Amino acid sequence: MSSPASVDLKIHHPQNFRFNSIPDSHDWSDLYDHPSAEPIGLDSVPVIDLNDPNLIYKIGKACEESGVFLIRNHGIEPELLNRFGSQIHRLFALPVEVKLKVAKTKGTDAGYGGAPISHLFPKFMWYEGFAIQTGSLFDQAQILWPDDYSSFCAVIEEYKKAIKPLGYRLMHLMLLSLGLTEEEIDNTLIGDSSKIKNAMHLNSYPACPYPDQVVGLAPHTDTGFVAVLYHNGVSGLQVLRCKDDIGPARWVTVPVVPNTLVVNIGDLMHVLSNGTFHNVVHRSTVSKTNQRLSAAYFLGPQLDVKVGPLSELMGPEQGPPLYRPVTWPELQKLKSTLHDKALQSMKIDGKIEELRKGA
Ligand SMILES: C=C1C[C@]23C[C@@]1(O)CC[C@H]2[C@@]12CCC[C@@](C)(C(=O)O1)[C@H]2[C@@H]3C(=O)O
Ligand SMILES: O=C(O)CCC(=O)C(=O)O
Ligand SMILES: [Fe+2]
């Protein structure tokens, strides 16, 4: 195997760790970065109880101000989360040469590989991933565990079955918080489950003796509507808090709170909300002692569905649409060429937002 992804994995995986310093290919220490900060006061990441009587208000506020929040009482049994975590651990604990038997190949989006965003950055990440696709999961599990593939597939399916309605509920609550009525939501693509696509991505960040020199998953925004994130309790997820009254942009660590899941706002939810919800820039750092594992469940539009600002959010009082409609693949393509300028390139009139901000 000679693709950058597999070279990356062969070099950095602890099973192949044969060096006592970080090779230049993985050393991010010379690249400019923002300072990291522990979450205090205004920096804190909201924790929302899904049984809260003020749920809609709290969700709206968190989506607008933070773009990331934790949810508790989300309805997914801790026992299922434990079994899910064990299967993720079991997958990444396999020898690298076994995992490479199901490596992602050009043109397929399923299987084992390096960070999907690696082509956008000059250095390799301290990362290995596994993209789940229902169509190929069974065949790949059979290759990985010829004698016991069904337990992996069964737990993945059980988790997906549990998280899907949670993802839909969160998006529904988000639109309620924007002031749409139930009937209006039914007429949007969020109200039509046939227009929604989901995808799951498993992430592993092996422990690293020099965590400050490496990056687990480099800064990015997710492109879909929302991502619901499970992790194994090892701290590492950070969100970028932008320059405001209390100082310059800084990385804030998302706290590890037992029995919660993390929710991130993606680019297309920012577009759908006409710029109201914050598509949060985030990254994963690496621990010196513990392997960090996570699973992102992404919800977005079906590949041929165009997403633009909701018509209910526009009018003489609310203002005009800020973005032209795009499909999910169109946005992913724009990001791979324009990076963080992709959304800017979709603006109908850049000046309008400037005016709004100034108002
Ligand atoms: C559904 C998806 C979202 C994602 C691209 C993908 O097809 C599967 C991987 C996802 C991921 C995970 C890491 C960050 C990210 C930006 C990336 O490059 O791959 C997201 C993608 C995304 O949000 O577009
Ligand atoms: O591992 C994490 O906490 C973040 C993962 C992530 O951002 C992603 O998969 O898009
Ligand atoms: Fe992400």
Side-chain angles (χ1 to χ4, degrees):
M1 300 292 300
S2 61
S3 71
S6 55
V7 170
D8 176 24
L9 294 164
K10 277 182 182 148
I11 294 171
H12 84 232
H13 199 282
Q15 286 157 0
N16 295 311
F17 205 82
R18 297 275 182 278
F19 43 83
N20 51 19
S21 64
I22 302 296
D24 184 54
S25 56
H26 289 66
D27 189 344
W28 293 66
S29 33
D30 289 340
L31 298 176
Y32 166 76
D33 199 9
H34 307 283
S36 293
E38 284 312 307
I40 36 156
L42 287 175
D43 270 345
S44 64
V45 174
V47 182
I48 300 182
D49 185 330
L50 293 191
N51 294 334
D52 192 301
N54 283 327
L55 182 59
I56 297 171
Y57 168 78
K58 288 194 174 165
I59 294 255
K61 185 170 154 64
C63 293
E64 242 180 83
E65 293 177 2
S66 171
V68 63
F69 53 96
L70 306 184
I71 47 171
R72 59 157 55 103
N73 281 320
H74 44 66
I76 304 194
E77 293 298 327
E79 184 270 331
L80 170 57
L81 293 177
N82 284 340
R83 281 186 293 123
F84 183 53
S86 301
Q87 290 297 332
I88 301 173
H89 183 266
R90 182 174 169 235
L91 167 71
F92 289 112
L94 287 168
V96 180
E97 51 289 3
V98 174
K99 290 179 281 194
L100 286 172
K101 290 185 188 167
V102 295
K104 261 194 270 184
T105 49
K106 244 193 153 75
T108 62
D109 255 348
Y112 181 66
I117 44 175
S118 54
H119 63 285
L120 301 175
F121 295 90
K123 301 280 177 163
F124 286 117
M125 296 168 214
W126 208 259
Y127 174 93
E128 48 181 344
F130 189 89
I132 304 250
Q133 291 277 341
T134 311
S136 43
L137 184 63
F138 185 82
D139 291 344
Q140 292 184 326
Q142 238 177 342
I143 295 170
L144 294 171
W145 300 282
D147 300 325
D148 177 17
Y149 49 88
S150 58
S151 51
F152 182 78
C153 299
V155 172
I156 298 290
E157 285 312 317
E158 198 179 336
Y159 180 77
K160 277 174 86 173
K161 208 170 152 195
I163 199 151
K164 191 173 170 178
L166 174 62
Y168 279 76
R169 183 177 170 212
L170 288 167
M171 294 195 298
H172 190 97
L173 287 162
M174 288 173 192
L175 295 209
L176 285 175
S177 81
L178 289 168
L180 272 74
T181 62
E182 294 284 352
E183 204 191 343
E184 283 170 336
I185 296 173
D186 283 348
N187 293 324
T188 69
L189 76 161
I190 301 292
D192 179 354
S193 58
S194 70
K195 293 216 166 73
I196 304 295
K197 178 177 162 60
N198 52 67
M200 194 149 75
H201 212 260
L202 310 181
N203 308 302
S204 159
Y205 311 94
C208 174
Y210 310 101
D212 296 340
Q213 279 172 256
V214 301
V215 164
L217 189 58
H220 65 279
T221 55
D222 299 331
T223 51
F225 291 134
V226 293
V228 186
L229 195 85
Y230 158 85
H231 62 75
N232 68 342
V234 175
S235 176
L237 178 63
Q238 295 189 322
V239 292
L240 190 65
R241 284 284 154 85
C242 294
K243 201 171 177 320
D244 53 25
D245 299 347
I246 61 160
R250 63 216 172 273
W251 288 108
V252 168
T253 302
V254 174
V256 170
V257 180
N259 301 319
T260 61
L261 294 167
V262 183
V263 181
N264 280 342
I265 297 296
D267 298 328
L268 287 177
M269 187 55 90
H270 171 82
V271 170
L272 194 75
S273 67
N274 206 23
T276 302
F277 290 163
H278 179 58
N279 49 335
V280 66
V281 176
H282 55 284
R283 68 175 185 181
S284 180
T285 59
V286 173
S287 155
K288 187 168 185 161
T289 47
N290 297 310
Q291 178 186 26
R292 177 161 195 272
L293 298 169
S294 70
Y297 181 78
F298 299 100
L299 288 136
Q302 287 293 358
L303 302 184
D304 58 348
V305 172
K306 277 197 187 274
V307 177
L310 289 163
S311 55
E312 291 78 4
L313 302 180
M314 294 173 291
E317 277 173 31
Q318 298 123 303
L322 296 178
Y323 297 100
R324 68 176 172 83
V326 281
T327 63
W328 201 359
E330 274 164 7
L331 177 57
Q332 286 178 345
K333 197 163 167 221
L334 278 177
K335 283 184 83 170
S336 69
T337 49
L338 299 174
H339 311 263
D340 54 352
K341 306 281 179 302
L343 283 186
Q344 187 69 31
S345 77
M346 291 162 44
K347 285 238 167 107
I348 291 175
D349 181 352
K351 284 187 195 139
I352 292 173
E353 191 166 56
E354 305 251 346
L355 286 172
R356 276 187 148 201
K357 277 190 186 146

